[in-house]
Amino acid sequence: MAQIKPSISFEFFPPKTLAASFQVWESLHCLAPLSPDFVSITYGADGSTRDRTQEMVETINCNYAFDVAPHLTCANMSREDTLNIAKRCWDIGARQIVALRGDPPKRNSKFIPHPEGFNNSVELIKALVSNGFSNIRVGAYPELHPDASSMDANIDWLKGKFDAGATSAITQFFFESKTFLRFRDKCVKAGITAPIIPGILPIENWEKNKVFIARCGAHIPNNLEAKFVAANAGKPADDLSVLVATQMCTNLVNEGIEQFHFYTLNRPTLTHKVCQNLGITSNIKQKQEA
């Protein structure tokens, strides 16, 4: 168990069905007592969930004491429409934004800016700063981003985001603590001093999850795949997932990391167990009716 109790945050995605809606609110009910610093709400690759994202932000903000950070992307929208969404998020209580370029729609292999839109995340960050946002989180890639020519270019682009006004970064998930530590050291060497929060994905279903893990470009260690194949499905695989994530977080805490962002996939059980293993206990914070 980690000796230092880290701070935490969680990512959720907007539900598409009634059943999925029950799932996400059950997840919030389960994880909210752990008192996260904030929760982030994702946004479809082409902006397809923007309305549901805002609905979730408003509902969470009305019922819980922690901050909500909606994702905002450049995809498939003009600059005016993008900033109108940012203003709407502000009006419903969001005081921070996760500013992202956004992934290309499934039908495209590369990002194509809207003719009247932002060309990249740096332009979006500058516009958000100009419109009053002072807490802007961005994405970071401890492994090579699909569009980057090298890790040096990868880190230079991250530094550009901070120079534009970003205040912290959340990394893509990874599965070896050394992956993050090497990335952190390179960022420090490049002059990046802002917080970089490691993103942690407790694997809920190996065969299902490894498809999008590969799509995201995260390296899957051979020994990790062998362990999950051996564990097969069910409780043994769940126990392995909790163990892997706990050990990785503990290693990072021992290296001075004090904050983690968990990709929950709207399924709270494994994340909750990992947090408990890190010494994070329930401390209910929920807004009371006046």
Side-chain angles (χ1 to χ4, degrees):
M1 180 181 295
Q3 295 181 344
I4 300 173
K5 185 189 299 184
S7 58
I8 54 172
S9 54
F10 304 122
E11 178 184 283
F12 299 95
F13 59 83
K16 295 181 179 180
T17 66
L18 180 60
S21 180
F22 284 123
Q23 177 67 48
V24 70
W25 297 115
E26 287 174 4
S27 297
L28 270 165
H29 182 72
C30 175
L31 295 174
L34 299 179
S35 299
D37 284 355
F38 68 96
V39 298
S40 67
I41 311 298
T42 66
Y43 199 74
D46 58 355
S48 57
T49 65
R50 66 177 67 108
D51 292 338
R52 291 194 297 273
T53 296
Q54 291 177 53
E55 289 168 2
M56 273 192 74
V57 169
E58 187 167 20
T59 303
I60 293 172
N61 190 62
C62 289
N63 289 281
Y64 294 96
F66 45 74
D67 289 335
V68 189
H71 289 205
L72 181 64
T73 77
C74 307
N76 200 32
M77 276 193 301
S78 68
R79 291 170 180 250
E80 182 179 3
D81 288 343
T82 303
L83 292 177
N84 283 340
I85 289 175
K87 182 180 184 303
R88 169 62 177 157
C89 288
W90 180 277
D91 290 343
I92 59 180
R95 292 297 178 265
Q96 51 182 294
I97 289 280
V98 180
L100 307 165
R101 185 199 68 179
D103 296 325
K106 293 180 180 179
R107 63 184 176 273
N108 295 327
S109 59
K110 63 179 296 185
F111 178 81
I112 300 174
H114 185 283
E116 299 175 359
F118 295 105
N119 290 307
N120 52 56
S121 56
V122 168
E123 290 186 2
L124 173 59
I125 293 161
K126 289 179 179 179
L128 290 172
V129 170
S130 297
N131 281 268
F133 279 91
S134 59
N135 191 347
I136 302 171
R137 304 183 187 274
V138 295
Y141 293 83
E143 299 174 278
L144 189 63
H145 186 281
D147 293 343
S149 59
S150 67
M151 277 304 297
D152 287 343
N154 204 28
I155 292 171
D156 286 344
W157 187 252
L158 176 60
K159 189 174 187 303
K161 295 179 187 181
F162 285 122
D163 291 344
T167 49
S168 66
I170 302 168
T171 76
Q172 178 64 274
F173 48 76
F174 51 90
F175 298 104
E176 293 180 297
S177 55
K178 64 182 180 182
T179 299
F180 178 83
L181 295 173
R182 288 171 179 168
F183 177 69
R184 178 196 64 177
D185 292 347
K186 289 180 179 179
C187 287
V188 171
K189 187 176 180 180
I192 295 174
T193 58
I196 300 176
I197 306 167
I200 307 298
L201 174 70
I203 297 171
E204 186 266 333
N205 181 309
W206 176 249
E207 290 301 322
K208 180 179 178 180
N209 289 171
K210 75 176 184 179
V211 174
F212 79 84
I213 289 171
R215 190 166 62 240
C216 292
H219 171 66
I220 300 174
N222 291 334
N223 64 337
L224 182 65
E225 179 157 23
K227 288 177 181 178
F228 273 102
V229 170
N232 203 346
K235 191 174 185 298
D238 288 350
D239 292 343
L240 175 61
S241 180
V242 171
L243 177 63
V244 167
T246 299
Q247 288 181 336
M248 189 165 63
C249 289
T250 301
N251 290 341
L252 292 174
V253 168
N254 291 336
E255 292 288 341
I257 304 304
E258 299 179 348
Q259 187 171 4
F260 297 103
H261 186 70
F262 288 91
Y263 295 100
T264 71
L265 303 183
N266 290 4
R267 295 184 178 277
T269 304
L270 300 184
T271 294
H272 193 278
K273 288 180 179 178
V274 174
C275 290
Q276 285 185 316
N277 288 346
L278 296 173
I280 300 165
T281 55
S282 296
N283 179 23
I284 297 176
K285 287 185 179 181
Q286 188 164 341
K287 291 186 178 179
Q288 302 296 322
E289 294 292 337

